[in-house]
Coordinates of all heavy atoms in Angstrom, one line a residue:
M1 N -54.6 -74.8 33.4 CA -55.2 -75.4 34.6 C -54.1 -75.8 35.5 O -53.1 -76.5 35.1 CB -56.1 -76.6 34.1 CG -56.8 -77.2 35.3 SD -57.9 -78.5 34.8 CE -58.1 -79.4 36.3
E2 N -54.3 -75.5 36.8 CA -53.2 -75.8 37.8 C -53.4 -77.2 38.3 O -54.5 -77.6 38.6 CB -53.3 -74.8 38.9 CG -52.0 -74.7 39.7 CD -52.0 -73.5 40.7 OE1 -51.7 -72.4 40.2 OE2 -52.4 -73.7 41.8
S3 N -52.3 -77.9 38.4 CA -52.3 -79.3 38.9 C -52.6 -79.2 40.4 O -52.0 -78.4 41.1 CB -51.0 -80.0 38.6 OG -50.9 -81.2 39.3
S4 N -53.4 -80.2 40.9 CA -53.6 -80.3 42.3 C -52.5 -81.1 43.0 O -52.4 -81.1 44.2 CB -55.0 -80.9 42.6 OG -55.1 -82.2 42.0
D5 N -51.7 -81.8 42.2 CA -50.7 -82.6 42.8 C -49.4 -81.8 42.9 O -48.6 -81.7 41.9 CB -50.5 -83.9 41.9 CG -49.5 -84.9 42.6 OD1 -49.0 -84.6 43.7 OD2 -49.2 -85.9 41.9
E6 N -49.1 -81.3 44.1 CA -47.9 -80.5 44.3 C -46.6 -81.3 44.1 O -45.6 -80.7 43.8 CB -47.9 -79.8 45.6 CG -48.7 -78.5 45.6 CD -48.4 -77.7 46.9 OE1 -47.3 -77.8 47.4 OE2 -49.3 -77.1 47.4
A7 N -46.7 -82.6 44.4 CA -45.5 -83.4 44.4 C -44.8 -83.4 43.0 O -43.6 -83.5 42.9 CB -45.8 -84.8 44.8
T8 N -45.6 -83.3 41.9 CA -45.0 -83.3 40.6 C -44.1 -82.1 40.3 O -43.3 -82.0 39.4 CB -46.1 -83.3 39.5 OG1 -46.9 -82.2 39.7 CG2 -46.9 -84.6 39.6
D9 N -44.3 -81.0 41.2 CA -43.6 -79.8 41.0 C -42.3 -79.8 41.8 O -41.5 -78.9 41.7 CB -44.5 -78.7 41.5 CG -43.9 -77.3 41.2 OD1 -43.4 -77.2 40.1 OD2 -44.0 -76.4 42.0
D10 N -42.1 -80.9 42.6 CA -41.0 -80.9 43.5 C -39.7 -81.3 42.8 O -39.7 -82.0 41.8 CB -41.2 -81.8 44.7 CG -42.1 -81.1 45.8 OD1 -42.2 -79.9 45.7 OD2 -42.6 -81.8 46.6
L11 N -38.6 -80.9 43.4 CA -37.3 -81.2 42.9 C -37.0 -82.7 43.2 O -37.5 -83.3 44.1 CB -36.2 -80.4 43.6 CG -36.3 -78.9 43.3 CD1 -35.4 -78.1 44.3 CD2 -35.8 -78.6 41.9
P12 N -36.3 -83.4 42.3 CA -36.0 -84.8 42.4 C -35.1 -85.0 43.7 O -34.2 -84.3 44.0 CB -35.2 -85.2 41.2 CG -34.7 -83.9 40.6 CD -35.6 -82.8 41.1
M13 N -35.4 -86.1 44.3 CA -34.6 -86.5 45.5 C -33.4 -87.4 45.1 O -33.5 -88.1 44.1 CB -35.5 -87.4 46.4 CG -36.6 -86.7 47.0 SD -36.1 -85.7 48.4 CE -35.6 -87.0 49.6
P14 N -32.3 -87.2 45.8 CA -31.2 -88.1 45.5 C -31.6 -89.5 45.9 O -32.3 -89.7 46.9 CB -30.0 -87.6 46.4 CG -30.7 -86.8 47.4 CD -32.0 -86.3 46.8
P15 N -31.1 -90.5 45.1 CA -31.5 -91.9 45.4 C -31.0 -92.4 46.8 O -31.6 -93.1 47.5 CB -30.9 -92.7 44.3 CG -29.9 -91.8 43.7 CD -30.3 -90.4 43.9
Y16 N -29.8 -91.8 47.1 CA -29.2 -92.1 48.4 C -28.7 -90.8 49.0 O -27.9 -90.1 48.3 CB -28.1 -93.2 48.3 CG -27.4 -93.4 49.6 CD1 -27.9 -94.2 50.5 CD2 -26.1 -92.8 49.8 CE1 -27.3 -94.4 51.8 CE2 -25.5 -93.0 51.0 CZ -26.1 -93.8 52.0 OH -25.4 -94.0 53.2
V17 N -29.0 -90.5 50.2 CA -28.6 -89.2 50.7 C -27.2 -89.3 51.4 O -27.0 -90.0 52.4 CB -29.7 -88.8 51.8 CG1 -29.3 -87.4 52.4 CG2 -31.1 -88.7 51.2
T18 N -26.3 -88.6 50.8 CA -24.9 -88.6 51.2 C -24.7 -87.5 52.2 O -25.6 -86.6 52.4 CB -23.9 -88.4 50.1 OG1 -24.2 -87.1 49.5 CG2 -24.1 -89.4 49.0
A19 N -23.6 -87.5 52.9 CA -23.3 -86.4 53.9 C -23.2 -85.1 53.1 O -23.6 -84.0 53.7 CB -21.9 -86.7 54.5
E20 N -22.8 -85.1 51.9 CA -22.8 -83.9 51.1 C -24.2 -83.3 50.8 O -24.5 -82.1 50.9 CB -22.1 -84.1 49.8 CG -21.5 -82.9 49.1 CD -20.7 -83.3 47.9 OE1 -21.1 -84.1 47.1 OE2 -19.6 -82.7 47.8
D21 N -25.1 -84.3 50.5 CA -26.5 -83.9 50.3 C -27.1 -83.2 51.6 O -27.9 -82.3 51.5 CB -27.4 -85.1 50.0 CG -27.0 -85.7 48.6 OD1 -26.8 -84.8 47.7 OD2 -27.1 -86.9 48.4
V22 N -26.7 -83.8 52.7 CA -27.2 -83.2 54.0 C -26.7 -81.8 54.2 O -27.5 -80.9 54.6 CB -26.6 -84.1 55.2 CG1 -26.9 -83.4 56.5 CG2 -27.3 -85.5 55.2
V23 N -25.4 -81.5 53.8 CA -24.9 -80.2 53.9 C -25.7 -79.2 52.9 O -26.1 -78.1 53.3 CB -23.4 -80.1 53.5 CG1 -22.9 -78.7 53.4 CG2 -22.6 -80.9 54.5
F24 N -25.9 -79.7 51.7 CA -26.7 -78.9 50.7 C -28.1 -78.6 51.3 O -28.7 -77.5 51.2 CB -26.8 -79.6 49.4 CG -25.6 -79.5 48.5 CD1 -25.1 -80.6 47.9 CD2 -24.9 -78.3 48.4 CE1 -23.9 -80.5 47.1 CE2 -23.8 -78.1 47.6 CZ -23.3 -79.3 47.0
A25 N -28.7 -79.7 51.8 CA -30.1 -79.6 52.3 C -30.2 -78.6 53.5 O -31.1 -77.8 53.5 CB -30.6 -81.0 52.7
L26 N -29.2 -78.7 54.4 CA -29.2 -77.8 55.5 C -29.1 -76.4 55.1 O -29.8 -75.5 55.6 CB -28.1 -78.1 56.5 CG -28.3 -79.2 57.5 CD1 -27.0 -79.5 58.2 CD2 -29.4 -78.8 58.5
R27 N -28.2 -76.2 54.1 CA -28.0 -74.8 53.5 C -29.3 -74.3 52.9 O -29.7 -73.1 53.1 CB -26.9 -74.8 52.5 CG -26.4 -73.4 52.2 CD -25.2 -73.5 51.3 NE -24.0 -74.2 52.0 CZ -23.1 -74.8 51.3 NH1 -23.0 -74.8 50.0 NH2 -22.1 -75.4 52.0
A28 N -30.0 -75.2 52.2 CA -31.3 -74.8 51.5 C -32.3 -74.4 52.5 O -33.0 -73.4 52.4 CB -31.8 -76.0 50.6
V29 N -32.4 -75.2 53.6 CA -33.4 -75.0 54.6 C -33.1 -73.7 55.3 O -34.0 -72.9 55.6 CB -33.5 -76.1 55.6 CG1 -34.3 -75.7 56.8 CG2 -34.1 -77.4 55.0
N30 N -31.8 -73.4 55.5 CA -31.4 -72.2 56.2 C -31.6 -71.0 55.4 O -32.1 -70.0 55.9 CB -29.9 -72.4 56.6 CG -29.4 -71.4 57.6 OD1 -30.2 -71.0 58.5 ND2 -28.2 -71.0 57.6
V31 N -31.2 -71.0 54.2 CA -31.3 -69.9 53.3 C -32.7 -69.6 52.9 O -33.1 -68.4 52.9 CB -30.4 -70.1 52.0 CG1 -30.7 -69.0 51.0 CG2 -28.9 -70.1 52.3
H32 N -33.5 -70.6 52.7 CA -34.9 -70.5 52.3 C -35.8 -70.5 53.5 O -36.7 -71.3 53.7 CB -35.3 -71.5 51.3 CG -34.6 -71.4 50.0 ND1 -35.1 -70.7 48.9 CD2 -33.3 -71.7 49.6 CE1 -34.2 -70.7 47.9 NE2 -33.1 -71.3 48.3
A33 N -35.4 -69.6 54.5 CA -36.2 -69.6 55.7 C -37.4 -68.7 55.5 O -37.4 -67.8 54.7 CB -35.3 -69.0 56.8
P34 N -38.4 -68.9 56.4 CA -39.7 -68.1 56.3 C -39.5 -66.7 56.8 O -38.6 -66.4 57.7 CB -40.7 -68.8 57.1 CG -39.9 -69.6 58.1 CD -38.6 -69.9 57.4
E35 N -40.2 -65.8 56.2 CA -40.2 -64.4 56.6 C -41.6 -63.9 56.7 O -42.4 -64.2 55.8 CB -39.4 -63.6 55.6 CG -39.1 -62.1 55.9 CD -38.3 -61.5 54.8 OE1 -38.8 -61.3 53.7 OE2 -37.2 -61.1 55.1
Q36 N -42.0 -63.3 57.8 CA -43.4 -62.9 57.9 C -43.7 -61.7 57.0 O -43.0 -60.6 57.1 CB -43.7 -62.5 59.4 CG -45.1 -62.5 59.7 CD -45.9 -63.8 59.5 OE1 -45.4 -64.8 59.8 NE2 -47.0 -63.7 58.8
Q37 N -44.7 -61.9 56.2 CA -45.1 -60.8 55.3 C -46.6 -60.5 55.6 O -47.2 -61.3 56.2 CB -45.0 -61.2 53.8 CG -43.6 -61.6 53.4 CD -42.7 -60.3 53.1 OE1 -43.3 -59.3 52.8 NE2 -41.4 -60.4 53.2
P38 N -47.1 -59.3 55.1 CA -48.5 -59.0 55.4 C -49.5 -60.1 55.0 O -50.5 -60.3 55.6 CB -48.7 -57.7 54.6 CG -47.3 -57.1 54.5 CD -46.4 -58.3 54.4
D39 N -49.1 -60.8 53.9 CA -50.0 -61.8 53.4 C -49.6 -63.2 53.8 O -50.1 -64.2 53.3 CB -50.1 -61.8 51.9 CG -48.7 -62.0 51.2 OD1 -47.7 -61.9 51.9 OD2 -48.7 -62.2 50.0
G40 N -48.8 -63.3 54.8 CA -48.4 -64.7 55.3 C -46.9 -64.9 55.3 O -46.1 -64.0 55.0
Q41 N -46.5 -66.1 55.6 CA -45.1 -66.5 55.5 C -44.6 -66.7 54.1 O -45.2 -67.4 53.3 CB -44.8 -67.7 56.4 CG -44.9 -67.5 57.8 CD -44.3 -68.7 58.6 OE1 -44.4 -69.8 58.3 NE2 -43.6 -68.4 59.7
R42 N -43.5 -66.0 53.8 CA -42.9 -66.1 52.5 C -41.4 -66.4 52.7 O -40.8 -66.1 53.6 CB -43.1 -64.8 51.7 CG -44.5 -64.7 51.3 CD -44.6 -63.6 50.2 NE -46.0 -63.6 49.7 CZ -46.3 -64.4 48.6 NH1 -45.5 -65.1 48.0 NH2 -47.6 -64.4 48.3
C43 N -40.8 -67.1 51.6 CA -39.4 -67.4 51.6 C -38.6 -66.1 51.5 O -38.9 -65.2 50.7 CB -39.1 -68.3 50.4 SG -37.3 -68.6 50.2
R44 N -37.7 -65.9 52.4 CA -36.9 -64.6 52.4 C -35.9 -64.6 51.2 O -35.4 -63.5 50.9 CB -36.2 -64.4 53.7 CG -35.0 -65.3 53.9 CD -34.3 -65.0 55.2 NE -33.2 -66.0 55.4 CZ -32.6 -66.2 56.6 NH1 -33.1 -65.7 57.7 NH2 -31.6 -67.0 56.6
K45 N -35.7 -65.7 50.6 CA -34.8 -65.8 49.5 C -35.5 -65.5 48.1 O -35.0 -64.7 47.3 CB -34.1 -67.2 49.4 CG -33.2 -67.4 48.3 CD -31.8 -66.8 48.5 CE -30.9 -67.2 47.4 NZ -29.6 -66.4 47.5
D46 N -36.6 -66.2 47.9 CA -37.2 -66.1 46.5 C -38.7 -65.6 46.6 O -39.4 -65.5 45.6 CB -37.2 -67.4 45.8 CG -37.7 -68.6 46.7 OD1 -38.6 -68.4 47.4 OD2 -37.1 -69.7 46.6
Q47 N -39.1 -65.3 47.8 CA -40.5 -64.7 48.0 C -41.6 -65.6 47.7 O -42.8 -65.1 47.6 CB -40.6 -63.3 47.2 CG -39.5 -62.3 47.6 CD -39.6 -61.9 49.1 OE1 -40.7 -61.5 49.6 NE2 -38.5 -62.0 49.8
A48 N -41.3 -66.9 47.5 CA -42.4 -67.8 47.3 C -43.1 -68.1 48.6 O -42.5 -67.9 49.7 CB -41.9 -69.1 46.7
A49 N -44.4 -68.6 48.5 CA -45.0 -68.9 49.8 C -44.2 -70.0 50.5 O -43.8 -71.0 49.9 CB -46.4 -69.5 49.4
H50 N -44.0 -69.8 51.8 CA -43.3 -70.7 52.6 C -44.1 -71.9 52.9 O -45.3 -71.8 53.3 CB -42.8 -70.0 53.9 CG -42.0 -70.9 54.7 ND1 -40.6 -71.2 54.5 CD2 -42.3 -71.7 55.8 CE1 -40.2 -72.1 55.4 NE2 -41.2 -72.4 56.2
P51 N -43.6 -73.2 52.9 CA -42.2 -73.5 52.5 C -42.1 -73.6 51.0 O -42.9 -74.2 50.3 CB -42.0 -74.9 53.1 CG -43.4 -75.5 53.2 CD -44.3 -74.3 53.4
C52 N -41.1 -72.9 50.5 CA -40.9 -72.9 49.0 C -40.3 -74.3 48.6 O -40.0 -75.1 49.4 CB -39.9 -71.8 48.7 SG -38.2 -72.1 49.1
R53 N -40.1 -74.4 47.3 CA -39.7 -75.7 46.7 C -38.4 -76.1 47.3 O -38.2 -77.3 47.6 CB -39.6 -75.5 45.2 CG -39.3 -76.8 44.4 CD -39.0 -76.5 43.0 NE -40.2 -76.0 42.3 CZ -40.3 -76.0 41.0 NH1 -39.2 -76.3 40.3 NH2 -41.3 -75.5 40.4
L54 N -37.4 -75.2 47.4 CA -36.1 -75.7 47.9 C -36.1 -76.0 49.4 O -35.4 -76.9 49.8 CB -35.0 -74.6 47.6 CG -34.3 -74.8 46.3 CD1 -33.6 -73.5 45.8 CD2 -33.2 -75.9 46.5
H55 N -36.9 -75.2 50.1 CA -37.1 -75.5 51.5 C -37.7 -76.9 51.7 O -37.2 -77.7 52.5 CB -37.9 -74.5 52.2 CG -38.0 -74.6 53.7 ND1 -37.2 -73.8 54.5 CD2 -38.7 -75.5 54.5 CE1 -37.5 -74.2 55.8 NE2 -38.3 -75.2 55.8
R56 N -38.7 -77.2 50.9 CA -39.3 -78.6 51.0 C -38.3 -79.6 50.6 O -38.3 -80.7 51.2 CB -40.6 -78.6 50.1 CG -41.7 -77.8 50.5 CD -43.0 -78.2 49.9 NE -42.9 -78.4 48.5 CZ -43.2 -77.5 47.6 NH1 -43.6 -76.3 48.0 NH2 -43.1 -77.7 46.3
W57 N -37.6 -79.4 49.6 CA -36.6 -80.4 49.1 C -35.6 -80.6 50.3 O -35.3 -81.8 50.6 CB -35.8 -79.8 47.9 CG -34.7 -80.7 47.5 CD1 -34.8 -81.8 46.7 CD2 -33.3 -80.6 47.8 NE1 -33.6 -82.4 46.5 CE2 -32.7 -81.7 47.2 CE3 -32.6 -79.7 48.6 CZ2 -31.3 -81.8 47.3 CZ3 -31.2 -79.9 48.7 CH2 -30.6 -80.9 48.1
G58 N -35.1 -79.6 50.9 CA -34.1 -79.7 52.0 C -34.7 -80.6 53.1 O -34.0 -81.5 53.7
R59 N -35.9 -80.2 53.5 CA -36.6 -81.0 54.6 C -36.7 -82.4 54.3 O -36.6 -83.3 55.1 CB -38.0 -80.4 54.9 CG -37.9 -79.0 55.5 CD -37.7 -79.2 57.0 NE -37.6 -77.8 57.7 CZ -37.3 -77.7 59.0 NH1 -37.2 -78.7 59.7 NH2 -37.2 -76.5 59.5
R60 N -37.1 -82.7 53.0 CA -37.3 -84.1 52.6 C -36.0 -84.9 52.6 O -36.0 -86.0 53.0 CB -38.0 -84.2 51.2 CG -39.4 -83.8 51.2 CD -40.3 -84.5 50.2 NE -39.6 -84.7 48.9 CZ -39.5 -83.8 47.9 NH1 -40.1 -82.7 48.1 NH2 -38.9 -84.1 46.8
V61 N -34.9 -84.2 52.1 CA -33.6 -84.9 52.1 C -33.2 -85.2 53.5 O -32.8 -86.3 53.8 CB -32.6 -84.0 51.4 CG1 -31.2 -84.6 51.7 CG2 -32.9 -83.9 49.9
L62 N -33.4 -84.3 54.4 CA -33.0 -84.5 55.8 C -33.8 -85.5 56.5 O -33.3 -86.3 57.3 CB -33.1 -83.1 56.6 CG -32.1 -82.1 56.1 CD1 -32.4 -80.7 56.7 CD2 -30.6 -82.5 56.4
A63 N -35.1 -85.5 56.2 CA -36.0 -86.6 56.7 C -35.6 -87.9 56.2 O -35.6 -88.9 57.0 CB -37.5 -86.2 56.4
K64 N -35.3 -88.0 54.9 CA -34.9 -89.3 54.3 C -33.6 -89.8 55.0 O -33.4 -91.0 55.1 CB -34.7 -89.1 52.8 CG -34.5 -90.4 52.1 CD -34.5 -90.2 50.6 CE -34.3 -91.6 49.9 NZ -34.2 -91.4 48.4
R65 N -32.7 -88.9 55.4 CA -31.5 -89.2 56.1 C -31.8 -89.7 57.5 O -30.9 -90.2 58.2 CB -30.6 -88.0 56.1 CG -29.2 -88.2 56.7 CD -28.3 -89.0 55.9 NE -27.1 -89.3 56.7 CZ -25.9 -89.7 56.1 NH1 -25.8 -89.8 54.9 NH2 -24.9 -90.0 56.9
G66 N -33.0 -89.5 58.0 CA -33.4 -89.9 59.3 C -33.3 -88.9 60.4 O -33.3 -89.2 61.6
L67 N -33.1 -87.6 60.0 CA -33.0 -86.5 60.9 C -34.4 -86.1 61.4 O -35.3 -85.9 60.6 CB -32.3 -85.4 60.3 CG -30.8 -85.6 60.1 CD1 -30.2 -84.4 59.3 CD2 -30.1 -85.6 61.5
T68 N -34.6 -85.9 62.7 CA -35.9 -85.3 63.2 C -35.8 -83.8 63.1 O -34.8 -83.2 62.9 CB -36.0 -85.7 64.7 OG1 -35.0 -85.1 65.4 CG2 -35.9 -87.2 64.9
D69 N -37.0 -83.2 63.2 CA -37.1 -81.8 63.2 C -36.2 -81.1 64.2 O -35.6 -80.1 64.0 CB -38.6 -81.3 63.4 CG -39.4 -81.5 62.2 OD1 -38.9 -81.8 61.1 OD2 -40.7 -81.5 62.3
E70 N -36.2 -81.8 65.4 CA -35.3 -81.3 66.5 C -33.9 -81.3 66.1 O -33.1 -80.4 66.4 CB -35.6 -82.2 67.7 CG -35.2 -81.6 69.0 CD -35.5 -82.5 70.2 OE1 -36.5 -83.2 70.2 OE2 -34.7 -82.5 71.2
Q71 N -33.4 -82.4 65.5 CA -32.0 -82.5 65.1 C -31.7 -81.5 64.0 O -30.6 -80.9 64.0 CB -31.7 -83.9 64.6 CG -31.7 -85.0 65.7 CD -31.5 -86.4 65.1 OE1 -32.2 -86.7 64.2 NE2 -30.7 -87.2 65.8
I72 N -32.6 -81.3 63.1 CA -32.4 -80.3 62.0 C -32.3 -78.9 62.6 O -31.4 -78.2 62.3 CB -33.6 -80.3 61.0 CG1 -33.7 -81.6 60.3 CG2 -33.5 -79.1 60.1 CD1 -35.0 -81.9 59.5
Q73 N -33.1 -78.6 63.6 CA -33.0 -77.3 64.3 C -31.7 -77.1 65.0 O -31.1 -76.1 64.9 CB -34.2 -77.2 65.3 CG -34.5 -75.7 65.6 CD -34.8 -74.9 64.4 OE1 -35.5 -75.3 63.5 NE2 -34.1 -73.8 64.3
T74 N -31.2 -78.2 65.6 CA -29.9 -78.2 66.3 C -28.8 -77.9 65.3 O -27.9 -77.0 65.5 CB -29.6 -79.5 67.0 OG1 -30.6 -79.8 67.9 CG2 -28.3 -79.5 67.7
L75 N -28.9 -78.5 64.1 CA -27.8 -78.3 63.1 C -27.9 -76.9 62.6 O -26.9 -76.2 62.4 CB -28.0 -79.3 62.0 CG -27.6 -80.7 62.3 CD1 -28.1 -81.7 61.2 CD2 -26.1 -80.8 62.5
L76 N -29.2 -76.4 62.4 CA -29.3 -75.0 61.9 C -28.8 -74.0 62.9 O -28.3 -72.9 62.5 CB -30.8 -74.7 61.6 CG -31.4 -75.5 60.4 CD1 -32.9 -75.2 60.3 CD2 -30.7 -75.1 59.1
N77 N -28.8 -74.3 64.1 CA -28.3 -73.4 65.2 C -26.8 -73.6 65.4 O -26.3 -73.0 66.3 CB -29.1 -73.7 66.5 CG -30.5 -73.3 66.4 OD1 -30.9 -72.4 65.6 ND2 -31.4 -73.8 67.3
G78 N -26.2 -74.4 64.5 CA -24.7 -74.5 64.6 C -24.3 -75.7 65.5 O -23.1 -75.8 65.8
G79 N -25.3 -76.4 66.0 CA -24.9 -77.6 66.9 C -24.5 -78.8 66.1 O -24.5 -78.7 64.8
T80 N -24.2 -79.8 66.8 CA -23.8 -81.1 66.1 C -24.7 -82.2 66.4 O -25.2 -82.3 67.5 CB -22.3 -81.5 66.4 OG1 -22.2 -81.5 67.8 CG2 -21.3 -80.5 65.8
V81 N -25.0 -83.0 65.4 CA -25.8 -84.2 65.6 C -25.1 -85.4 65.0 O -24.5 -85.3 63.9 CB -27.2 -84.0 64.9 CG1 -28.0 -85.3 64.8 CG2 -28.0 -82.9 65.6
A82 N -25.1 -86.5 65.7 CA -24.5 -87.7 65.2 C -25.3 -88.3 64.0 O -26.4 -88.7 64.2 CB -24.3 -88.7 66.3
L83 N -24.7 -88.2 62.8 CA -25.4 -88.7 61.6 C -25.1 -90.2 61.6 O -24.1 -90.7 61.8 CB -24.8 -88.0 60.4 CG -25.2 -86.6 60.2 CD1 -24.5 -86.0 59.0 CD2 -26.7 -86.3 60.1
R84 N -26.2 -90.9 61.2 CA -26.1 -92.4 61.1 C -25.3 -92.7 59.8 O -25.5 -92.1 58.8 CB -27.5 -93.0 61.0 CG -28.2 -92.9 62.4 CD -29.5 -93.5 62.3 NE -30.3 -92.9 61.3 CZ -31.6 -93.3 61.0 NH1 -32.0 -94.4 61.5 NH2 -32.3 -92.7 60.1
Ligands
ZN101 ZN1 -37.0 -70.3 48.8

């Protein structure tokens, strides 16, 4: 029987998000980017339904660090954002 609580399937969050975690998270979000497939968006790395586990983890880490979607996009595009 499949659990309806997806959160239990998620990767553990670091208790405190360091600058190194931010780098890992950005890499995860970047590598685990969506790819359009006939049956919908899938992770181009592991072919899981997008957003995949690692993509979600990366987004959560970045959100916990206080980064907005806009700032995340800037970083993914090679820009710089002042981290708090
Ligand atoms: Zn993935």
Side-chain angles (χ1 to χ4, degrees):
M1 186 178 157
E2 201 168 275
S3 170
S4 59
D5 186 4
E6 273 194 36
T8 58
D9 191 38
D10 279 346
L11 294 166
M13 291 284 291
Y16 175 78
V17 180
T18 65
E20 201 172 47
D21 291 324
V22 170
V23 171
F24 281 137
L26 274 174
R27 194 174 299 156
V29 169
N30 196 31
V31 168
H32 294 263
E35 189 176 65
Q36 195 60 44
Q37 297 283 337
D39 59 346
Q41 284 196 323
R42 289 192 171 272
C43 174
R44 71 180 179 198
K45 177 82 175 170
D46 50 40
Q47 301 300 306
H50 179 79
C52 73
R53 190 187 289 192
L54 266 162
H55 188 101
R56 291 201 309 269
W57 175 84
R59 288 277 177 184
R60 288 213 318 280
V61 169
L62 295 171
K64 189 171 178 181
R65 179 76 189 200
L67 288 169
T68 64
D69 285 347
E70 197 178 325
Q71 288 175 316
I72 294 168
Q73 202 53 51
T74 299
L75 288 169
L76 289 175
N77 291 336
T80 51
V81 168
L83 293 175
R84 291 181 300 174

